[in-house]
Amino acid sequence: MVVLQKMADLEQQQQQDGGVNSGSGSSAGERLREEYRRHVQTQLSHDLVDAIASLQQHQHHLQQLSEQLELATKQVKSSATETKDTINATLDAFLVTVNEAVTARRHQLLDEVQQVEEEALVPLEQCGRELACRLDEVEERVTQGQRLQRHSGVMARDTVLRFQEEAAAMTSLPEVPALCAVPSVSVEFPSDPLMEEEVRELVGRAGRVSRMGPVQITNIVEQPGALLVSWEEVDEDVSDEGLEFCLECSNTGATDPHAAVFTRKYEGPDYSFLLRDLKAGENYLLRVASRREGASCFGPWSLVQAASTNTSHFKWGSSPTNASSAWTVADDGRLACKTSDEPEVLHSEAPLLKPGSSVLFKILRGGGGCSDEGLGLSCMPVMGPEHLLLPGTLFLSAQGCVFLDGVSRVTRLPAIQDKSQVSFAVEKVSSSKVRVYIESQEKQVTYEWGVPSAQDGLYFLASFGEPRWKISVH
């Protein structure tokens, strides 16, 4: 627009000048106008390119939003479908279980009734057979007496006497149990509350639909060869007391959580866990779930989070100036083995331990350590064991003594020996001070260490004499 305005001003100026210098001036004006026209066209072309680029960028943003919307829609639909399938499968299994339980209970109760009935009828049936036999005998005797009565004129006295004796012998009655002595079978079901109401109330409490899993991953921090994963309860209606968590990880290369194969990495009450021994640049899928203490299974999973660490794992140094023939390093720098009894301090390949991270030493094989042997941190490479107790070092001896800048501390930790695990965690206190947590065999001590260079990283180190020590770093 500015260029067009200048063009119009130029033409108006030329009209006011009239015919002055009409010959050469006219050609000069034409050239000037042509230059302005070309300039205008160039400017318009640039403006058009900028506008197209802006639209393309806007188009790209819209496409990203469209993809995000598609993922959100897919998440809602897929999670709803999975939840519906879970509800149907769970309640179908519940119905089958209830039906089996009711059928089994029905058969059990009917069998009990049948048993009571059979046991009660056996003596009654025996009594009935005896009564029938007695009735037949009595009926036979009555018939015999009636025949004698019809022939009373010719009856012999002996015959009548014998009949009287036989009739008198039949006056005894068999024992028939009274009604109060025989079973009157019945069954009792709960009536307060009714059994149906109890079942209905129990079923009514089964299941709880939530918009998201009750626990979600809230933070993932990259560390050397590791990821610090944190989570928390997001359901306000759920108390966090007595909760236990489960963290699972998948590094199968699958980007779809439904196709990924997860393995359990942590199970316990903590709200964070450090995933170690990860490959730099590799993508990992993470999810977490919770359950009440004493529950047999975990609840719904959180949203799956993808994460990776771009920092390589901790490594022991392997250069000739850092690790002589007294140590050999293997497993891509993770494993250090003492190969001779020559005193030699082994360092990390660089000042790798920075504030906000931790290093874990696993003693895969150990021996008897002395006071000048152990594990520690340093600001600079330590040239020999005699320099482990100088300023700029934090040293944990194999006997459990802690030396900070060469000064022995009061608290002692368990001795470093075969199968021991020792960790050093560093966090920033100020620009010139860090806080170091040392944990060994579930016992922990904490020190504040004034080391300005710690902000740029610390070396971790090991110094042992016997050629049997084997130490991995994580």
Side-chain angles (χ1 to χ4, degrees):
M1 295 299 293
V2 175
V3 174
L4 294 175
Q5 183 63 41
K6 289 183 177 179
M7 187 80 176
D9 294 342
L10 177 60
E11 292 177 349
Q12 183 179 2
Q13 181 65 37
Q14 288 178 344
Q15 291 175 1
Q16 290 176 355
D17 292 343
V20 180
N21 298 324
S22 58
S24 60
S26 176
S27 61
E30 288 295 333
R31 286 197 303 271
L32 189 58
R33 281 195 295 273
E34 184 62 27
E35 289 178 4
Y36 269 103
R37 288 192 187 95
R38 287 197 299 269
H39 183 72
V40 167
Q41 291 300 320
T42 302
Q43 186 66 36
L44 290 176
S45 178
H46 289 167
D47 292 343
L48 184 59
V49 170
D50 291 342
I52 292 174
S54 178
L55 287 173
Q56 288 176 336
Q57 185 178 10
H58 183 63
Q59 182 185 29
H60 178 67
H61 290 162
L62 290 175
Q63 289 173 343
Q64 288 182 325
L65 291 175
S66 179
E67 293 174 358
Q68 182 177 345
L69 179 61
E70 184 178 352
L71 290 175
T73 303
K74 180 181 179 181
Q75 175 175 304
V76 171
K77 290 184 176 180
S78 62
S79 62
T81 300
E82 290 180 2
T83 303
K84 291 176 183 177
D85 292 342
T86 301
I87 292 173
N88 289 329
T90 303
L91 293 184
D92 286 346
F94 178 76
L95 286 175
V96 170
T97 302
V98 170
N99 185 58
E100 291 176 350
V102 170
T103 301
R105 184 58 176 165
R106 183 204 303 271
H107 291 161
Q108 182 182 4
L109 293 175
L110 292 176
D111 289 345
E112 291 180 10
V113 172
Q114 183 68 24
Q115 182 179 358
V116 171
E117 181 182 10
E118 290 175 355
E119 292 176 352
L121 288 178
V122 168
L124 295 179
E125 289 173 351
Q126 292 177 349
C127 184
R129 287 192 294 270
E130 184 177 352
L131 281 175
C133 183
R134 293 285 188 92
L135 286 172
D136 291 341
E137 291 179 0
V138 170
E139 184 177 357
E140 183 180 352
R141 293 297 181 223
V142 169
T143 302
Q144 181 181 4
Q146 290 175 346
R147 284 199 304 269
L148 291 175
Q149 189 177 20
R150 286 194 297 270
H151 301 85
S152 59
V154 294
M155 285 189 302
R157 178 178 177 81
D158 294 341
T159 302
V160 174
L161 290 175
R162 188 168 56 254
F163 176 80
Q164 287 178 331
E165 291 176 357
E166 292 177 352
M170 298 180 65
T171 56
S172 64
L173 297 175
E175 184 178 356
V176 176
L179 295 181
C180 62
V182 297
S184 176
V185 186
S186 63
V187 66
E188 180 182 2
F189 289 103
S191 58
D192 188 23
L194 294 177
M195 184 172 60
E196 293 85 349
E197 293 180 359
E198 286 186 339
V199 174
R200 188 178 295 109
E201 183 180 354
L202 176 64
V203 174
R205 295 196 304 266
R208 182 173 179 270
V209 176
S210 57
R211 295 176 62 87
M212 284 191 175
V215 59
Q216 295 292 327
I217 295 174
T218 55
N219 194 28
I220 302 176
V221 179
E222 289 187 37
Q223 294 198 5
L227 291 171
L228 179 60
V229 186
S230 302
W231 54 82
E232 64 181 28
E233 283 283 336
V234 296
D235 193 341
E236 297 180 353
D237 296 333
V238 177
S239 172
D240 58 358
E241 294 183 2
L243 284 179
E244 189 177 29
F245 301 99
C246 170
L247 175 67
E248 291 191 346
C249 174
S250 171
N251 63 336
T252 57
T255 57
D256 185 0
H258 301 89
V261 179
F262 287 88
T263 56
R264 188 159 298 184
K265 296 297 184 180
Y266 171 76
E267 186 174 317
D270 295 336
Y271 282 78
S272 63
F273 182 74
L274 183 63
L275 279 172
R276 302 179 185 272
D277 301 327
L278 305 182
K279 295 181 179 179
E282 189 167 313
N283 193 51
Y284 294 86
L285 300 180
L286 307 170
R287 67 182 186 182
V288 67
S290 63
R291 69 180 176 187
R292 287 289 168 195
E293 187 176 358
S296 60
C297 58
F298 286 92
W301 291 106
S302 66
L303 295 176
V304 175
Q305 300 281 355
S308 62
T309 177
N310 296 313
T311 307
S312 180
H313 58 267
F314 287 142
K315 296 181 180 181
W316 293 110
S318 57
S319 66
T321 59
N322 194 31
S324 69
S325 59
W327 291 91
T328 59
V329 177
D331 191 19
D332 196 18
R334 293 187 182 93
L335 180 63
C337 301
K338 193 71 162 54
T339 56
S340 73
D341 55 5
E342 180 183 351
E344 180 71 29
V345 179
L346 181 67
H347 299 85
S348 55
E349 65 172 8
L352 301 177
L353 186 61
K354 300 183 184 298
S357 61
S358 64
V359 60
L360 173 67
F361 300 97
K362 293 184 178 180
I363 310 301
L364 304 182
R365 190 176 65 195
C370 301
S371 59
D372 59 347
E373 298 178 335
L375 304 167
L377 307 177
S378 66
C379 302
M380 299 292 292
V382 177
M383 301 311 296
E386 65 276 7
H387 298 118
L388 290 172
L389 303 183
L390 295 179
T393 61
L394 175 58
F395 186 66
L396 173 63
S397 74
Q399 297 175 348
C401 298
V402 181
F403 297 88
L404 181 62
D405 289 331
V407 179
S408 177
R409 316 303 291 188
V410 176
T411 305
R412 294 189 62 167
L413 293 174
I416 301 175
Q417 54 191 358
D418 195 30
K419 308 305 179 184
S420 292
Q421 293 191 16
V422 180
S423 67
F424 290 77
V426 181
E427 67 178 27
K428 181 179 179 180
V429 176
S430 65
S431 59
S432 60
K433 184 181 293 185
V434 294
R435 183 177 293 113
V436 182
Y437 300 89
I438 308 175
E439 184 175 353
S440 176
Q441 307 299 96
E442 299 184 353
K443 185 174 181 180
Q444 186 183 85
V445 292
T446 305
Y447 302 105
E448 290 194 355
W449 190 13
V451 184
S453 60
Q455 308 303 323
D456 301 324
L458 295 167
Y459 289 87
F460 53 83
L461 55 86
S463 176
F464 292 97
E466 291 183 310
R468 60 177 285 112
W469 289 86
K470 183 181 292 186
I471 307 168
S472 65
V473 62
H474 306 268

